Amino acid sequence: MPKVLVSDKLSDSGVAALKEAPGIEVDVNTGLSEAELIEIIGQYDGLVIRSGTKVTPAVLEAASSLKVVGRAGIGVDNVDLAAASKHGVVVMNTPFGNAVTTAEHALSLISALARNIPQATASMREGKWEKKKFKGREKWNKTLGIVGLGNIGKIVADRALGLRMNVIASDPVLTDAEAEALGIERVSFEDLLAKADFITIHAPLVPSTKHLFGAEQFKAMKKTAMIVNAARGGIIDEAALAEALTSGEIAGAGIDVFEQEPVAADNPLLKVPNCILTPHLGASTHEAQDRVGVQIAQQIGKFLNDGTIENGVNVPSIDGERAKRLTPAVDLAKALGALLAQISGDPREVRVSCSGDLAELAQPVAQEALAAFLSKKSGQTITSLSAPYEAKEKGIKLTADTSDRSLPVIRVVVNDGDGVHTASGRRSRGGGLRLVGLEGYELDAVLKGHVLIVRNSDKPGVI
């Protein structure tokens, strides 16, 4: 029976949904240190996390049975995706479950900034009535600049248009046609900095967005501009932001996410009066927590029961129907890959071609064939998820393509530098594996158990 560990606080409805999944045993053990997690993770097939648990290479090295990590939420920067893939662990998230909640929080921060709501509240609690001090500004007819127009950014744009704001956006994959359909304007990052009265960030934290906003960017903004970050900590250089706010380079900021969480006592933003701070509340609503908890529970249950991958982060998503069709193809791909590993030298390229109704499964089939090939060559167990990483390290190119043949055939080609080796196979009507091509020859043989391959010299007088 598969076992799943819930290592971060999950909604009661989410835990209940996981326990209701057929044939799955669930343990809830939160607040674990890395050492404590390493000590127990080897007994689990699945791991459900939020932002607290760090799935490090050391954790994955100890996770001998782990097949899937499910993040109840969108951000997976607390998971080492490369290490997970290399260990054959599928990583899934719930990218839509808290999109509305996070978008609403960003807009709430903008409203609070525009009208000085937290500062006025604090003044009132001190017994003051400073009406003139907290004069605000309208959002109507102001320009909102959105950095990153993914699921959350699009919701923010839609709501902002309803507030009669002018919306501009900068996103490397956004097209003019998509922007026009959304009723907004696509601009360069530099133009956004210059034009926006309010800026809200909805980009992932990747190397290219690390400290995307620093001293130079704050100088390029309007002095009356205000910035909000409810995406990921680290996109804004916090020391540079504190300096820009203190010097009057920009007018205000609303920050929900930080480079270090919980925030250190010496974080300079804590002492800046025109900066509103919230403790990573973007996804913290009752509705969102219930939603993402139930969603990730259902995704984990489906994966462990029938191989369905929904919202895969390090692997393409595969629905239940495709997973059922992939299963029999996997055995065939593995057999062909293992066969060629024994009759070829060190490969430069592995090419896998699929035809018939297997054509749309070419990529996962190719990875299965490659995994079997590398496993047989190395004598170690290599999964289809880790195979591309192993191949890259060895300088092996993997190519997956399709053939226009109507029969569902898998053909594997290995180029080892000295020549090309080929093997083709299909399933018989009874479901058995058949070898229908080898080294350029057509044949029909059972692809099961041990296979003896003899090379003959075609010479007169030789049998």
PDB file of all heavy atoms in Angstrom, residues 133-161:
ATOM      1  N   LYS A 133      -2.664  64.454   7.127  1.00  0.00           N
ATOM      2  CA  LYS A 133      -1.402  63.741   6.935  1.00  0.00           C
ATOM      3  C   LYS A 133      -1.542  62.565   5.977  1.00  0.00           C
ATOM      4  O   LYS A 133      -0.608  62.239   5.245  1.00  0.00           O
ATOM      5  CB  LYS A 133      -0.870  63.255   8.281  1.00  0.00           C
ATOM      6  CG  LYS A 133       0.444  62.498   8.189  1.00  0.00           C
ATOM      7  CD  LYS A 133       0.930  62.068   9.573  1.00  0.00           C
ATOM      8  CE  LYS A 133       2.230  61.304   9.472  1.00  0.00           C
ATOM      9  NZ  LYS A 133       2.750  60.887  10.805  1.00  0.00           N
ATOM     10  N   PHE A 134      -2.712  61.943   5.964  1.00  0.00           N
ATOM     11  CA  PHE A 134      -2.872  60.695   5.210  1.00  0.00           C
ATOM     12  C   PHE A 134      -3.721  60.868   3.954  1.00  0.00           C
ATOM     13  O   PHE A 134      -4.515  59.998   3.599  1.00  0.00           O
ATOM     14  CB  PHE A 134      -3.469  59.610   6.119  1.00  0.00           C
ATOM     15  CG  PHE A 134      -2.594  59.284   7.295  1.00  0.00           C
ATOM     16  CD1 PHE A 134      -3.039  59.516   8.589  1.00  0.00           C
ATOM     17  CD2 PHE A 134      -1.321  58.773   7.106  1.00  0.00           C
ATOM     18  CE1 PHE A 134      -2.233  59.226   9.678  1.00  0.00           C
ATOM     19  CE2 PHE A 134      -0.511  58.483   8.187  1.00  0.00           C
ATOM     20  CZ  PHE A 134      -0.964  58.709   9.480  1.00  0.00           C
ATOM     21  N   LYS A 135      -3.536  62.005   3.300  1.00  0.00           N
ATOM     22  CA  LYS A 135      -4.234  62.227   2.033  1.00  0.00           C
ATOM     23  C   LYS A 135      -3.737  61.201   1.011  1.00  0.00           C
ATOM     24  O   LYS A 135      -2.531  61.045   0.800  1.00  0.00           O
ATOM     25  CB  LYS A 135      -3.994  63.639   1.519  1.00  0.00           C
ATOM     26  CG  LYS A 135      -4.786  63.981   0.263  1.00  0.00           C
ATOM     27  CD  LYS A 135      -4.472  65.395  -0.200  1.00  0.00           C
ATOM     28  CE  LYS A 135      -4.958  66.421   0.824  1.00  0.00           C
ATOM     29  NZ  LYS A 135      -4.730  67.812   0.341  1.00  0.00           N
ATOM     30  N   GLY A 136      -4.655  60.489   0.361  1.00  0.00           N
ATOM     31  CA  GLY A 136      -4.274  59.420  -0.554  1.00  0.00           C
ATOM     32  C   GLY A 136      -4.399  59.815  -2.007  1.00  0.00           C
ATOM     33  O   GLY A 136      -4.384  60.996  -2.361  1.00  0.00           O
ATOM     34  N   ARG A 137      -4.506  58.802  -2.851  1.00  0.00           N
ATOM     35  CA  ARG A 137      -4.636  59.026  -4.288  1.00  0.00           C
ATOM     36  C   ARG A 137      -5.602  58.006  -4.871  1.00  0.00           C
ATOM     37  O   ARG A 137      -5.766  56.903  -4.343  1.00  0.00           O
ATOM     38  CB  ARG A 137      -3.279  58.947  -4.966  1.00  0.00           C
ATOM     39  CG  ARG A 137      -2.622  57.569  -4.871  1.00  0.00           C
ATOM     40  CD  ARG A 137      -1.244  57.563  -5.480  1.00  0.00           C
ATOM     41  NE  ARG A 137      -0.316  58.375  -4.708  1.00  0.00           N
ATOM     42  CZ  ARG A 137       0.966  58.528  -5.014  1.00  0.00           C
ATOM     43  NH1 ARG A 137       1.463  57.939  -6.090  1.00  0.00           N
ATOM     44  NH2 ARG A 137       1.754  59.268  -4.272  1.00  0.00           N
ATOM     45  N   GLU A 138      -6.259  58.380  -5.968  1.00  0.00           N
ATOM     46  CA  GLU A 138      -7.192  57.475  -6.634  1.00  0.00           C
ATOM     47  C   GLU A 138      -6.445  56.483  -7.526  1.00  0.00           C
ATOM     48  O   GLU A 138      -5.357  56.758  -8.017  1.00  0.00           O
ATOM     49  CB  GLU A 138      -8.170  58.286  -7.498  1.00  0.00           C
ATOM     50  CG  GLU A 138      -9.076  59.200  -6.721  1.00  0.00           C
ATOM     51  CD  GLU A 138     -10.003  59.998  -7.634  1.00  0.00           C
ATOM     52  OE1 GLU A 138      -9.732  60.051  -8.854  1.00  0.00           O
ATOM     53  OE2 GLU A 138     -10.986  60.572  -7.118  1.00  0.00           O
ATOM     54  N   LYS A 139      -7.102  55.344  -7.740  1.00  0.00           N
ATOM     55  CA  LYS A 139      -6.572  54.369  -8.702  1.00  0.00           C
ATOM     56  C   LYS A 139      -7.174  54.596 -10.089  1.00  0.00           C
ATOM     57  O   LYS A 139      -6.585  54.184 -11.096  1.00  0.00           O
ATOM     58  CB  LYS A 139      -6.875  52.947  -8.227  1.00  0.00           C
ATOM     59  CG  LYS A 139      -6.203  52.593  -6.893  1.00  0.00           C
ATOM     60  CD  LYS A 139      -6.398  51.150  -6.519  1.00  0.00           C
ATOM     61  CE  LYS A 139      -7.828  50.826  -6.163  1.00  0.00           C
ATOM     62  NZ  LYS A 139      -8.271  51.483  -4.913  1.00  0.00           N
ATOM     63  N   TRP A 140      -8.331  55.221 -10.139  1.00  0.00           N
ATOM     64  CA  TRP A 140      -9.011  55.485 -11.404  1.00  0.00           C
ATOM     65  C   TRP A 140      -8.111  56.286 -12.343  1.00  0.00           C
ATOM     66  O   TRP A 140      -7.489  57.281 -11.964  1.00  0.00           O
ATOM     67  CB  TRP A 140     -10.314  56.256 -11.137  1.00  0.00           C
ATOM     68  CG  TRP A 140     -11.022  56.694 -12.395  1.00  0.00           C
ATOM     69  CD1 TRP A 140     -11.755  55.921 -13.228  1.00  0.00           C
ATOM     70  CD2 TRP A 140     -11.026  58.014 -12.950  1.00  0.00           C
ATOM     71  NE1 TRP A 140     -12.240  56.667 -14.278  1.00  0.00           N
ATOM     72  CE2 TRP A 140     -11.803  57.961 -14.134  1.00  0.00           C
ATOM     73  CE3 TRP A 140     -10.455  59.228 -12.577  1.00  0.00           C
ATOM     74  CZ2 TRP A 140     -12.025  59.078 -14.925  1.00  0.00           C
ATOM     75  CZ3 TRP A 140     -10.672  60.340 -13.368  1.00  0.00           C
ATOM     76  CH2 TRP A 140     -11.457  60.256 -14.532  1.00  0.00           C
ATOM     77  N   ASN A 141      -8.009  55.804 -13.560  1.00  0.00           N
ATOM     78  CA  ASN A 141      -7.246  56.465 -14.619  1.00  0.00           C
ATOM     79  C   ASN A 141      -5.731  56.454 -14.389  1.00  0.00           C
ATOM     80  O   ASN A 141      -4.991  57.113 -15.108  1.00  0.00           O
ATOM     81  CB  ASN A 141      -7.713  57.903 -14.838  1.00  0.00           C
ATOM     82  CG  ASN A 141      -7.497  58.349 -16.274  1.00  0.00           C
ATOM     83  OD1 ASN A 141      -7.545  57.545 -17.206  1.00  0.00           O
ATOM     84  ND2 ASN A 141      -7.242  59.634 -16.459  1.00  0.00           N
ATOM     85  N   LYS A 142      -5.272  55.717 -13.395  1.00  0.00           N
ATOM     86  CA  LYS A 142      -3.836  55.559 -13.182  1.00  0.00           C
ATOM     87  C   LYS A 142      -3.349  54.349 -13.981  1.00  0.00           C
ATOM     88  O   LYS A 142      -4.125  53.474 -14.368  1.00  0.00           O
ATOM     89  CB  LYS A 142      -3.523  55.348 -11.699  1.00  0.00           C
ATOM     90  CG  LYS A 142      -3.889  56.512 -10.810  1.00  0.00           C
ATOM     91  CD  LYS A 142      -3.089  57.753 -11.138  1.00  0.00           C
ATOM     92  CE  LYS A 142      -3.237  58.825 -10.070  1.00  0.00           C
ATOM     93  NZ  LYS A 142      -4.614  59.217  -9.820  1.00  0.00           N
ATOM     94  N   THR A 143      -2.058  54.286 -14.225  1.00  0.00           N
ATOM     95  CA  THR A 143      -1.474  53.184 -15.003  1.00  0.00           C
ATOM     96  C   THR A 143      -0.896  52.127 -14.070  1.00  0.00           C
ATOM     97  O   THR A 143      -0.046  52.429 -13.222  1.00  0.00           O
ATOM     98  CB  THR A 143      -0.361  53.706 -15.931  1.00  0.00           C
ATOM     99  OG1 THR A 143      -0.934  54.625 -16.870  1.00  0.00           O
ATOM    100  CG2 THR A 143       0.299  52.555 -16.688  1.00  0.00           C
ATOM    101  N   LEU A 144      -1.399  50.914 -14.246  1.00  0.00           N
ATOM    102  CA  LEU A 144      -0.895  49.769 -13.486  1.00  0.00           C
ATOM    103  C   LEU A 144       0.032  48.960 -14.387  1.00  0.00           C
ATOM    104  O   LEU A 144      -0.363  48.509 -15.460  1.00  0.00           O
ATOM    105  CB  LEU A 144      -2.048  48.879 -13.007  1.00  0.00           C
ATOM    106  CG  LEU A 144      -1.630  47.561 -12.336  1.00  0.00           C
ATOM    107  CD1 LEU A 144      -0.883  47.833 -11.029  1.00  0.00           C
ATOM    108  CD2 LEU A 144      -2.844  46.672 -12.088  1.00  0.00           C
ATOM    109  N   GLY A 145       1.270  48.770 -13.956  1.00  0.00           N
ATOM    110  CA  GLY A 145       2.218  47.947 -14.694  1.00  0.00           C
ATOM    111  C   GLY A 145       2.332  46.574 -14.063  1.00  0.00           C
ATOM    112  O   GLY A 145       2.624  46.456 -12.867  1.00  0.00           O
ATOM    113  N   ILE A 146       2.083  45.524 -14.844  1.00  0.00           N
ATOM    114  CA  ILE A 146       2.140  44.152 -14.339  1.00  0.00           C
ATOM    115  C   ILE A 146       3.374  43.472 -14.921  1.00  0.00           C
ATOM    116  O   ILE A 146       3.534  43.383 -16.136  1.00  0.00           O
ATOM    117  CB  ILE A 146       0.872  43.360 -14.724  1.00  0.00           C
ATOM    118  CG1 ILE A 146      -0.380  44.070 -14.203  1.00  0.00           C
ATOM    119  CG2 ILE A 146       0.942  41.939 -14.185  1.00  0.00           C
ATOM    120  CD1 ILE A 146      -1.678  43.386 -14.613  1.00  0.00           C
ATOM    121  N   VAL A 147       4.233  42.988 -14.050  1.00  0.00           N
ATOM    122  CA  VAL A 147       5.441  42.267 -14.468  1.00  0.00           C
ATOM    123  C   VAL A 147       5.160  40.774 -14.319  1.00  0.00           C
ATOM    124  O   VAL A 147       5.119  40.239 -13.223  1.00  0.00           O
ATOM    125  CB  VAL A 147       6.654  42.676 -13.615  1.00  0.00           C
ATOM    126  CG1 VAL A 147       7.886  41.881 -14.046  1.00  0.00           C
ATOM    127  CG2 VAL A 147       6.910  44.169 -13.737  1.00  0.00           C
ATOM    128  N   GLY A 148       4.940  40.107 -15.457  1.00  0.00           N
ATOM    129  CA  GLY A 148       4.591  38.687 -15.442  1.00  0.00           C
ATOM    130  C   GLY A 148       3.094  38.505 -15.595  1.00  0.00           C
ATOM    131  O   GLY A 148       2.329  38.810 -14.676  1.00  0.00           O
ATOM    132  N   LEU A 149       2.675  38.025 -16.775  1.00  0.00           N
ATOM    133  CA  LEU A 149       1.236  37.909 -17.027  1.00  0.00           C
ATOM    134  C   LEU A 149       0.840  36.435 -17.150  1.00  0.00           C
ATOM    135  O   LEU A 149       0.355  35.988 -18.173  1.00  0.00           O
ATOM    136  CB  LEU A 149       0.855  38.678 -18.293  1.00  0.00           C
ATOM    137  CG  LEU A 149      -0.588  39.197 -18.289  1.00  0.00           C
ATOM    138  CD1 LEU A 149      -0.730  40.336 -17.296  1.00  0.00           C
ATOM    139  CD2 LEU A 149      -1.014  39.673 -19.664  1.00  0.00           C
ATOM    140  N   GLY A 150       1.068  35.700 -16.060  1.00  0.00           N
ATOM    141  CA  GLY A 150       0.618  34.323 -15.991  1.00  0.00           C
ATOM    142  C   GLY A 150      -0.808  34.269 -15.465  1.00  0.00           C
ATOM    143  O   GLY A 150      -1.589  35.211 -15.639  1.00  0.00           O
ATOM    144  N   ASN A 151      -1.156  33.166 -14.803  1.00  0.00           N
ATOM    145  CA  ASN A 151      -2.521  32.997 -14.292  1.00  0.00           C
ATOM    146  C   ASN A 151      -2.921  34.133 -13.352  1.00  0.00           C
ATOM    147  O   ASN A 151      -4.011  34.703 -13.473  1.00  0.00           O
ATOM    148  CB  ASN A 151      -2.638  31.654 -13.554  1.00  0.00           C
ATOM    149  CG  ASN A 151      -2.384  30.472 -14.457  1.00  0.00           C
ATOM    150  OD1 ASN A 151      -2.765  30.478 -15.623  1.00  0.00           O
ATOM    151  ND2 ASN A 151      -1.720  29.459 -13.937  1.00  0.00           N
ATOM    152  N   ILE A 152      -2.025  34.459 -12.408  1.00  0.00           N
ATOM    153  CA  ILE A 152      -2.346  35.491 -11.417  1.00  0.00           C
ATOM    154  C   ILE A 152      -2.324  36.870 -12.054  1.00  0.00           C
ATOM    155  O   ILE A 152      -3.214  37.699 -11.822  1.00  0.00           O
ATOM    156  CB  ILE A 152      -1.364  35.406 -10.236  1.00  0.00           C
ATOM    157  CG1 ILE A 152      -1.501  34.053  -9.535  1.00  0.00           C
ATOM    158  CG2 ILE A 152      -1.606  36.544  -9.245  1.00  0.00           C
ATOM    159  CD1 ILE A 152      -0.434  33.778  -8.494  1.00  0.00           C
ATOM    160  N   GLY A 153      -1.315  37.129 -12.874  1.00  0.00           N
ATOM    161  CA  GLY A 153      -1.220  38.432 -13.524  1.00  0.00           C
ATOM    162  C   GLY A 153      -2.435  38.758 -14.367  1.00  0.00           C
ATOM    163  O   GLY A 153      -2.891  39.910 -14.412  1.00  0.00           O
ATOM    164  N   LYS A 154      -2.981  37.758 -15.050  1.00  0.00           N
ATOM    165  CA  LYS A 154      -4.166  37.988 -15.878  1.00  0.00           C
ATOM    166  C   LYS A 154      -5.388  38.331 -15.033  1.00  0.00           C
ATOM    167  O   LYS A 154      -6.224  39.162 -15.426  1.00  0.00           O
ATOM    168  CB  LYS A 154      -4.444  36.753 -16.733  1.00  0.00           C
ATOM    169  CG  LYS A 154      -3.440  36.566 -17.856  1.00  0.00           C
ATOM    170  CD  LYS A 154      -3.676  35.279 -18.625  1.00  0.00           C
ATOM    171  CE  LYS A 154      -2.627  35.104 -19.719  1.00  0.00           C
ATOM    172  NZ  LYS A 154      -2.761  33.812 -20.423  1.00  0.00           N
ATOM    173  N   ILE A 155      -5.499  37.692 -13.866  1.00  0.00           N
ATOM    174  CA  ILE A 155      -6.628  38.019 -12.973  1.00  0.00           C
ATOM    175  C   ILE A 155      -6.482  39.445 -12.454  1.00  0.00           C
ATOM    176  O   ILE A 155      -7.464  40.205 -12.388  1.00  0.00           O
ATOM    177  CB  ILE A 155      -6.691  37.006 -11.806  1.00  0.00           C
ATOM    178  CG1 ILE A 155      -7.018  35.606 -12.344  1.00  0.00           C
ATOM    179  CG2 ILE A 155      -7.744  37.432 -10.780  1.00  0.00           C
ATOM    180  CD1 ILE A 155      -6.913  34.509 -11.308  1.00  0.00           C
ATOM    181  N   VAL A 156      -5.270  39.832 -12.086  1.00  0.00           N
ATOM    182  CA  VAL A 156      -5.032  41.207 -11.633  1.00  0.00           C
ATOM    183  C   VAL A 156      -5.410  42.200 -12.728  1.00  0.00           C
ATOM    184  O   VAL A 156      -6.067  43.217 -12.478  1.00  0.00           O
ATOM    185  CB  VAL A 156      -3.553  41.389 -11.230  1.00  0.00           C
ATOM    186  CG1 VAL A 156      -3.246  42.864 -10.982  1.00  0.00           C
ATOM    187  CG2 VAL A 156      -3.239  40.585  -9.983  1.00  0.00           C
ATOM    188  N   ALA A 157      -5.006  41.899 -13.957  1.00  0.00           N
ATOM    189  CA  ALA A 157      -5.327  42.784 -15.083  1.00  0.00           C
ATOM    190  C   ALA A 157      -6.829  42.933 -15.249  1.00  0.00           C
ATOM    191  O   ALA A 157      -7.344  44.044 -15.434  1.00  0.00           O
ATOM    192  CB  ALA A 157      -4.705  42.240 -16.365  1.00  0.00           C
ATOM    193  N   ASP A 158      -7.548  41.829 -15.178  1.00  0.00           N
ATOM    194  CA  ASP A 158      -9.000  41.859 -15.337  1.00  0.00           C
ATOM    195  C   ASP A 158      -9.663  42.711 -14.246  1.00  0.00           C
ATOM    196  O   ASP A 158     -10.529  43.541 -14.532  1.00  0.00           O
ATOM    197  CB  ASP A 158      -9.538  40.431 -15.293  1.00  0.00           C
ATOM    198  CG  ASP A 158     -11.047  40.375 -15.377  1.00  0.00           C
ATOM    199  OD1 ASP A 158     -11.601  40.692 -16.450  1.00  0.00           O
ATOM    200  OD2 ASP A 158     -11.693  40.017 -14.366  1.00  0.00           O
ATOM    201  N   ARG A 159      -9.242  42.519 -12.996  1.00  0.00           N
ATOM    202  CA  ARG A 159      -9.830  43.273 -11.892  1.00  0.00           C
ATOM    203  C   ARG A 159      -9.459  44.758 -11.984  1.00  0.00           C
ATOM    204  O   ARG A 159     -10.278  45.632 -11.693  1.00  0.00           O
ATOM    205  CB  ARG A 159      -9.358  42.710 -10.548  1.00  0.00           C
ATOM    206  CG  ARG A 159      -9.600  41.222 -10.319  1.00  0.00           C
ATOM    207  CD  ARG A 159     -11.069  40.851 -10.324  1.00  0.00           C
ATOM    208  NE  ARG A 159     -11.266  39.515  -9.786  1.00  0.00           N
ATOM    209  CZ  ARG A 159     -11.288  38.396 -10.498  1.00  0.00           C
ATOM    210  NH1 ARG A 159     -11.105  38.463 -11.827  1.00  0.00           N
ATOM    211  NH2 ARG A 159     -11.496  37.227  -9.932  1.00  0.00           N
ATOM    212  N   ALA A 160      -8.230  45.033 -12.404  1.00  0.00           N
ATOM    213  CA  ALA A 160      -7.787  46.430 -12.509  1.00  0.00           C
ATOM    214  C   ALA A 160      -8.542  47.169 -13.602  1.00  0.00           C
ATOM    215  O   ALA A 160      -8.863  48.359 -13.451  1.00  0.00           O
ATOM    216  CB  ALA A 160      -6.280  46.476 -12.781  1.00  0.00           C
ATOM    217  N   LEU A 161      -8.831  46.490 -14.694  1.00  0.00           N
ATOM    218  CA  LEU A 161      -9.628  47.113 -15.751  1.00  0.00           C
ATOM    219  C   LEU A 161     -11.011  47.474 -15.223  1.00  0.00           C
ATOM    220  O   LEU A 161     -11.590  48.492 -15.613  1.00  0.00           O
ATOM    221  CB  LEU A 161      -9.739  46.177 -16.950  1.00  0.00           C
ATOM    222  CG  LEU A 161      -8.447  45.959 -17.758  1.00  0.00           C
ATOM    223  CD1 LEU A 161      -8.639  44.838 -18.778  1.00  0.00           C
ATOM    224  CD2 LEU A 161      -8.031  47.247 -18.453  1.00  0.00           C
TER     225      LEU A 161
END
